[in-house]
Amino acid sequence: MAADEPLVLGIETSCDETGVGIVRGTTLLADAVASSVDTHARYGGVVPEIASRAHLEAMVPTIERALKEAGISARDLDGIAVTSGPGLAGALLVGVSAAKAYAYALNKPLYGVNHLASHICVDQLEHGPLPEPTMALLVSGGHSSLLLAPDITSDVRPLGATIDDAAGEAFDKIARVLNLGFPGGPVIDRLAKEGDPKSIAFPRGLTGPRDAPYDFSFSGLKTSVARWIEAKRAAGEEVPVRDVAASFQEAVVDVLTRKAVRACKDEGVDHLMIGGGVAANSRLRALAQERCERAGIRLRVPRPGLCTDNGAMVAALGAEMVARNRRPSDLKLSADSSLPVTEPHVPGAHPEHSHDHVHEISKDNLYS
């Protein structure tokens, strides 16, 4: 870690977790998270308004905790990065507003960055600089995408995506059918270890010879599993929860890894990065490793804590923006719930980023 590497604070509020990370170059200094998942669990899923209110309450304390953990003052920062999309509109607005306020008060450059590109860039914090191009499989509650990134700061190309349910969404819905609670991913992963993944032949969506080679579909699988469970219950039979969990999980990770390895081969890329919340799934990691080794592909997967939504990933991408002299965003930056992955960041209208109109006394009152 060099002292001249960019020191960036990142804010992530795209869904139900308030994440604040601080990165110097590719070194993680702080990763503070305040989650409202327990509150949402009462409703069986994320409630956008509750998420927004939770972000409001957690924002300043979480930023202060990250600064303390990193052992720095806010004035030491070289920039502020924030997820500007995609995500829940209200939740994003809280993070964007906070980032703009800090950037304004501290006279620091602001970088509105893409949530999906951030999930790719976070791997730099664990495995070093990303190869160029990078092939990435991103799987979460809202996204299932195959992306090729020749330059994570300016050139991210979508190869395929889900046409209906995302993988994480399917995990949550099946967990609900099995009365396992929310979120569904961790509990299904745990129960699947005690089940037989070959006991039930659930379908693999979009794997036919005429199907889109890199797109995903999990809606049909979700329906098939739900109907299988309903049939068992209607017949008065006990549902083998562990076998259902294992067979369902295997169907999901089989398709994800099969298509990801195929994309690497077709594009001539000798490595694969997997990110997003579902990347914490133990079976996905194991099968990806097995298939990548067989195909001569190097697998890069961040530790589970960096796979779920966090501020570290936003800070990592922000630091890369600073290092590559990408144009900062301006104070007109807004949240964009459908920001396309082809826009890794939202640059401002002018190359120069200046806050000369900020009164020095106001900044002095905010931070020492």
Side-chain angles (χ1 to χ4, degrees), residues 10 12 19-23 28 30-31 122 125 306 310-317:
E12 156 61 26
V20 178
I22 298 176
V23 165
L28 179 61
D31 183 21
V122 74
L125 303 181
L306 292 180
N310 59 81
M313 68 186 199
V314 179
L317 184 52

Side-chain angles (χ1 to χ4, degrees), residues 1-208:
M1 179 175 65
D4 60 346
E5 291 181 309
L7 180 64
V8 175
L9 180 145
I11 298 173
E12 156 61 26
T13 62
S14 66
C15 193
D16 60 336
E17 291 179 318
T18 307
V20 178
I22 298 176
V23 165
R24 187 182 289 280
T26 58
T27 301
L28 179 61
L29 303 182
D31 183 21
V33 178
S35 177
S36 59
V37 66
D38 290 342
T39 303
H40 298 292
R42 296 166 50 194
Y43 304 96
V46 176
V47 181
E49 180 60 24
I50 291 176
S52 300
R53 290 178 179 274
H55 290 312
L56 279 171
E57 295 173 0
M59 182 58 63
V60 172
T62 308
I63 290 176
E64 292 179 346
R65 179 154 50 97
L67 290 169
K68 183 177 180 180
E69 181 182 336
I72 65 167
S73 162
R75 286 190 177 279
D76 298 329
L77 295 168
D78 296 312
I80 309 287
V82 62
T83 300
S84 56
L88 300 175
L92 289 168
L93 279 170
V94 177
V96 169
S97 298
K100 289 162 67 173
Y102 277 88
Y104 179 94
L106 295 166
N107 198 19
K108 304 293 182 180
L110 172 70
Y111 294 87
V113 301
N114 191 291
H115 180 79
L116 298 183
S118 297
H119 268 304
I120 300 174
C121 200
V122 74
D123 190 60
Q124 292 197 151
L125 303 181
E126 193 153 8
H127 300 119
L130 291 170
E132 293 184 341
T134 286
M135 180 68 72
L137 170 66
L138 296 187
V139 279
S140 67
H143 306 278
S144 296
S145 306
L146 268 172
L147 306 168
L148 183 65
D151 183 338
I152 193 59
T153 65
S154 63
D155 186 5
V156 180
R157 307 171 188 176
L159 300 181
T162 182
I163 63 171
D164 41 56
D165 289 355
E169 183 181 2
F171 271 92
D172 287 339
K173 290 180 177 177
I174 294 306
R176 191 177 303 129
V177 174
L178 289 171
N179 300 316
L180 298 177
F182 174 86
V187 66
I188 286 181
D189 189 11
R190 186 174 66 252
L191 292 173
K193 294 175 182 178
E194 302 173 7
D196 180 2
K198 297 180 180 179
S199 61
I200 310 166
F202 289 131
R204 272 64 167 162
L206 290 185
T207 54

